[in-house]
Amino acid sequence: MHWILLIVAGLLEIGFATSLGKAREATGTTAQLWYASFLVCLTLSMYLLMRATETLPIGTAYAVWTGIGAVGTVLVGIFIFHEPASFWRVFFLTTLILSIVGLKALSPH
């Protein structure tokens, strides 16, 4: 169950980073709504990370949480914000994914 909380927390991290990017593109009330989305995603992400670390090792949980957020945010950048998808970006993104999977596989829980 705590792994599920951690994954959802990581997805919410993608949500708060995406909200910042969308707020930067918006103006007025729309920008304020994106900033509100940022605060909601941030708060929920931190809460779920806190809950996940009640049983998961902090080092593993934090690395997986930031890894999910980093991978997801890079993918959002590529597909939503049209950032470049160069060979080296994809290569290092792949190594990051493999590292996250490795940490999960070696976790004692």
Side-chain angles (χ1 to χ4, degrees), residues 54-67:
E54 289 173 356
T55 60
L56 300 175
I58 186 69
T60 301
Y62 185 76
V64 170
W65 176 74
T66 58

Side-chain angles (χ1 to χ4, degrees), residues 19-71:
S19 295
L20 284 177
K22 295 300 271 182
R24 184 184 62 198
E25 295 177 347
T27 59
T29 303
T30 304
Q32 290 174 345
L33 290 172
W34 281 114
Y35 285 124
S37 170
F38 163 77
L39 290 173
V40 169
C41 289
L42 176 68
T43 302
L44 290 173
S45 181
M46 293 294 169
Y47 174 74
L48 292 176
L49 175 63
M50 180 189 71
R51 291 290 313 276
T53 59
E54 289 173 356
T55 60
L56 300 175
I58 186 69
T60 301
Y62 185 76
V64 170
W65 176 74
T66 58
I68 291 169
V71 168

